[in-house]
Amino acid sequence: MRTAIRHENNFDLLRLVAALIIIVSHAYALQVGYLAMPAFCPLVLVGYAALAALFTVSGYLIPQSWCAQPDPVRFFWKRSLRVFPGLIAAVLFTLLVVGPIATSLSPAEYLHALLSPGNLSEAPFFEDGSSLGLFTANPITYVNASLWTIPVEFSMYVIVAVFGMAGLLRKKSVLFGLIAANLLLWGIWYADPSLSKIRFTLYFLIGAYLSLHHPNLRYDGGAVFLLLLALVASAATPLFSFVALIAVPYAVLWFAHLPVPALNAFGRHGDFSYGMYIYAYPIQQTIVLFLGTSLSLPVFAALSIILTAPFAVCSWVFIERRALALKQVALAPVRLSRSVRE
């Protein structure tokens, strides 16, 4: 199976739109606090759908990458180049630029807290910033809660590689089994907000199933309309998450394959979605710290996007793009059996 050719689809646009929607959703949450949000807040549900869309896109494309080059060394090299250079820069920006500005500690205290073994080991994915004196007076004290998705996403890469090497990735029953197992775990952990995040891996697996087993499926706009209508109708009920498992992947892949040249060429100047996603949260927290929660939501969301955009552009131009240029450097391949390659 060949990988999806860039600029013949709308995945770049989809990722950026989803990242922007998540920023708007976080703008609302960071002003009011998680505990004060209604159970079925529309902005939170829209953010949920946007994150589900990102996992769907990843699930659709990553197995194609494996099938194009079924070599675990090459596969993890490419995935690492996509994830870690930009992430490391964003973490350093947060700790060395945002941290000294936003901390309630003195410079010496901040440096000491930052270099303590416990804080340093949690730096890439830390949430609560109280040990660093960060955002302790904000409605939410997380430093960059968006980063929780990265280890979850990378774990899905591991699953793709493991099942690919075992020759099981192309078997429908295997993907169905993974989806069923995730549904079961979600049901068990449904009441725990942190563990119930397992549900987002379902979107990855559904995207992978559609990519591997229905690559030529024709997505119908009328069906998209009906599914989105059902999604809106279920928004104030617990059914929303279950309807979304069908509606979001179908709508995302319908839009991704629309043959509209202007949309297909959207990403020719760069893919800024990852930078927007990993830089926005600490920037938004800093805005709340200095300007409080009195800004209207549209102003806060717009300011968040405007301030984050330059960092996203720089991340792509100076870090991500250069890292991705190393994708095809010579590496020692791992020999796989014929059944695995097929």
Side-chain angles (χ1 to χ4, degrees):
M1 180 185 297
R2 70 185 181 93
T3 55
I5 298 176
R6 198 166 189 175
H7 311 323
E8 289 185 2
N9 55 61
N10 306 316
F11 287 116
D12 286 334
L13 176 58
L14 264 169
R15 281 190 291 255
L16 182 59
V17 170
L20 294 176
I21 291 172
I22 290 170
I23 291 173
V24 175
S25 179
H26 282 166
Y28 170 74
L30 291 171
Q31 282 191 315
V32 303
Y34 291 139
L35 295 178
M37 293 189 302
F40 300 104
C41 172
L43 277 172
V44 175
L45 296 180
V46 170
Y48 172 113
L51 184 56
L54 289 178
F55 272 95
T56 299
V57 170
S58 183
Y60 192 85
L61 296 178
I62 297 304
Q64 292 186 22
S65 176
W66 169 266
C67 292
Q69 283 186 301
D71 174 2
V73 173
R74 177 69 61 183
F75 178 78
F76 283 112
W77 173 248
K78 292 193 293 185
R79 302 281 64 79
S80 297
L81 288 174
R82 187 66 189 98
V83 172
F84 294 120
L87 174 63
I88 291 169
V91 170
L92 291 175
F93 165 78
T94 302
L95 296 177
L96 303 180
V97 178
V98 172
I101 294 172
T103 185
S104 59
L105 304 177
S106 69
E109 289 172 331
Y110 178 77
L111 183 62
H112 180 268
L114 179 62
L115 296 180
S116 66
N119 293 336
L120 192 61
S121 66
E122 297 174 2
F125 304 108
F126 63 85
E127 292 187 339
D128 187 349
S130 58
S131 62
L132 297 174
L134 293 177
F135 311 126
T136 54
N138 285 15
I140 294 172
T141 61
Y142 292 167
V143 177
N144 196 345
S146 296
L147 299 187
W148 74 264
T149 63
I150 291 178
V152 174
E153 173 94 3
F154 211 86
S155 70
M156 302 311 294
Y157 301 163
V158 173
I159 287 175
V160 168
V162 168
F163 282 89
M165 287 187 290
L168 300 174
L169 191 60
R170 300 292 293 273
K171 295 184 181 296
K172 288 185 179 182
S173 59
V174 171
L175 279 177
F176 272 130
L178 287 173
I179 291 170
N182 279 29
L183 280 170
L184 178 62
L185 290 173
W186 181 20
I188 294 172
W189 292 330
Y190 187 85
D192 188 321
S194 59
L195 294 177
S196 68
K197 290 175 181 177
I198 189 72
R199 67 190 182 276
F200 287 102
T201 62
L202 284 166
Y203 292 99
F204 185 101
L205 294 171
I206 291 169
Y209 174 80
L210 293 171
S211 175
L212 294 170
H213 301 295
H214 296 283
N216 299 315
L217 181 66
R218 296 176 63 87
Y219 297 91
D220 179 70
V224 171
F225 175 78
L226 293 176
L227 285 170
L228 294 181
L229 197 63
L231 192 63
V232 172
S234 66
T237 74
L239 291 175
F240 175 85
S241 297
F242 297 96
V243 176
L245 287 174
I246 301 172
V248 171
Y250 193 94
V252 162
L253 295 176
W254 166 78
F255 183 82
H257 293 98
L258 285 178
V260 181
L263 299 181
N264 300 160
F266 179 83
R268 66 175 178 266
H269 298 301
D271 181 2
F272 309 116
S273 58
Y274 186 54
M276 294 297 294
Y277 183 79
I278 60 179
Y279 278 93
Y281 202 98
I283 290 174
Q284 289 179 292
Q285 282 285 59
T286 306
I287 294 172
V288 172
L289 177 67
F290 287 105
L291 299 182
T293 59
S294 60
L295 292 176
S296 67
L297 180 61
V299 171
F300 181 32
L303 185 60
S304 301
I305 292 169
I306 290 169
L307 293 180
T308 304
F311 294 99
V313 172
C314 289
S315 178
W316 171 257
V317 172
F318 298 112
I319 300 172
E320 297 169 56
R321 184 175 64 180
R322 297 185 181 191
L324 292 174
L326 302 175
K327 273 185 170 185
Q328 299 302 331
V329 299
L331 297 172
V334 173
R335 295 187 178 275
L336 302 176
S337 67
R338 180 178 177 182
S339 64
V340 173
R341 292 195 302 269
E342 294 175 352

